[in-house]
Amino acid sequence: MVVASPTFSKISSNNTKAMRIPTIDLSMERSQLSQTVVKACEEYGFFRVVNHNVPKEVIARLEEEGAEFFSKSSHEKRRAGPASPFGYGFTNIGPNGDMGDLEYLLLRANPLSIAQISKTIANDSTKFSTVVKEYVEVVKEVTCEILDLVVEGLGVGDKFGLSRLIRDYDSDSVLRMNHYPPMKVKRKGKKNSIGFGAHSDPQMLTIMRSNDVGGLQIYTRDGLWLPVPPDPTNFFVMVGDVLQVMTNGKFMSVRHRALTNTLEARMSMMYFAAPPLDWWIAPLPEMVSPPENESVYKGFTWAQYKEATYSLRLGDSRLDLFKAHLDTHLLSSSQSQFQC
């Protein structure tokens, strides 16, 4: 069934409030499930998933590997970097001056790539590689199930049109592990700070989990920041920019941020589901019905959108560059710098 999560307490800020986030039980009856997934994507762009059938042991093993890596000395960790974009990085978020109180590992979710980069990350690279691959495979299945439910709920003819992009061998999906050290180690006496600034994810969907330390906040349609209590055994799902385009704005990608904790380290794992680089992205035919419902966006490849993402600051609005109502000459000039 679909239930509302417990009401979240307000935190000390005028820009937050208490409200409920939907929790979706993947074991419920299929037809009702597809409609509730669509509703959650429309109203929040964010929801929690329970009864996902991912073994706790698979989650625990990756968390153990992540904790072991981030506990190493700075010298040892830097052997796996710099992240350009894959590998170990810290403080810097992207190439345009964004900063955060974190360190991270960014891995391409491809078996061969995982095996290669594991040699620079772990003393037992075979074990690390095996654990990461196992985790990627199970969260990919959760992602594909959710995308199939989205397709069913929207009435799209190609039942596997979205999940097929993620199962494609050339899918550009990635796995990111963020580690936010406790602030007391770095800046004694300072309250929580921004560990990762406000942004939306550019991909189709994000499947996220964390340890039992809070910090995640989502930005609501009311213009308020909503603190999300951690749930180490389940997943949170976020709509990304690409899915917003493919649904012609019916779904909205959710802006979110992460705060550091003053006492405990937080570690989160995000699977970013993305299509192949050359895939043409445009609103699904079922989402467009001229003249009442024209296409909001012009088409582009995932490679072009990635280039747009890397060219802007973390919090900038990337989709504005690809809106159909923009002047054609202006749009062409903007997109020309994103060709690959």
Side-chain angles (χ1 to χ4, degrees), residues 39-73:
K39 184 178 180 181
C41 290
E42 285 183 295
E43 295 184 356
Y44 288 86
F46 180 88
F47 54 91
R48 185 175 68 149
V49 168
V50 300
N51 287 326
H52 43 69
N53 292 324
V54 175
K56 293 180 180 179
E57 296 77 14
V58 172
I59 296 173
R61 282 195 286 268
L62 183 59
E63 185 165 323
E64 289 170 5
E65 290 294 326
E68 181 177 338
F69 173 80
F70 290 121
S71 68
K72 292 181 177 181
S73 68

Side-chain angles (χ1 to χ4, degrees), residues 83-135:
S84 56
F86 301 112
Y88 172 71
F90 57 95
T91 306
N92 293 317
I93 302 173
N96 299 310
D98 291 295
M99 308 284 282
D101 284 312
L102 83 162
E103 56 183 341
Y104 63 90
L105 279 173
L106 185 63
L107 313 174
R108 188 180 178 198
N110 172 284
L112 180 59
S113 178
I114 292 170
Q116 291 175 337
I117 202 168
S118 294
K119 297 174 184 177
T120 68
I121 294 173
N123 297 330
D124 188 343
S125 61
T126 300
K127 179 186 175 187
F128 182 88
S129 176
T130 299
V131 169
V132 172
K133 289 176 186 176
E134 185 178 34
Y135 183 85

Side-chain angles (χ1 to χ4, degrees), residues 111-164:
L112 180 59
S113 178
I114 292 170
Q116 291 175 337
I117 202 168
S118 294
K119 297 174 184 177
T120 68
I121 294 173
N123 297 330
D124 188 343
S125 61
T126 300
K127 179 186 175 187
F128 182 88
S129 176
T130 299
V131 169
V132 172
K133 289 176 186 176
E134 185 178 34
Y135 183 85
V136 165
E137 284 304 308
V138 293
V139 294
K140 179 166 67 176
E141 288 304 312
V142 173
T143 304
C144 289
E145 181 175 2
I146 293 169
L147 289 174
D148 289 344
L149 288 164
V150 164
V151 165
E152 290 178 29
L154 292 176
V156 175
D158 187 350
K159 294 183 178 181
F160 306 107
L162 298 184
S163 61
R164 187 181 301 116

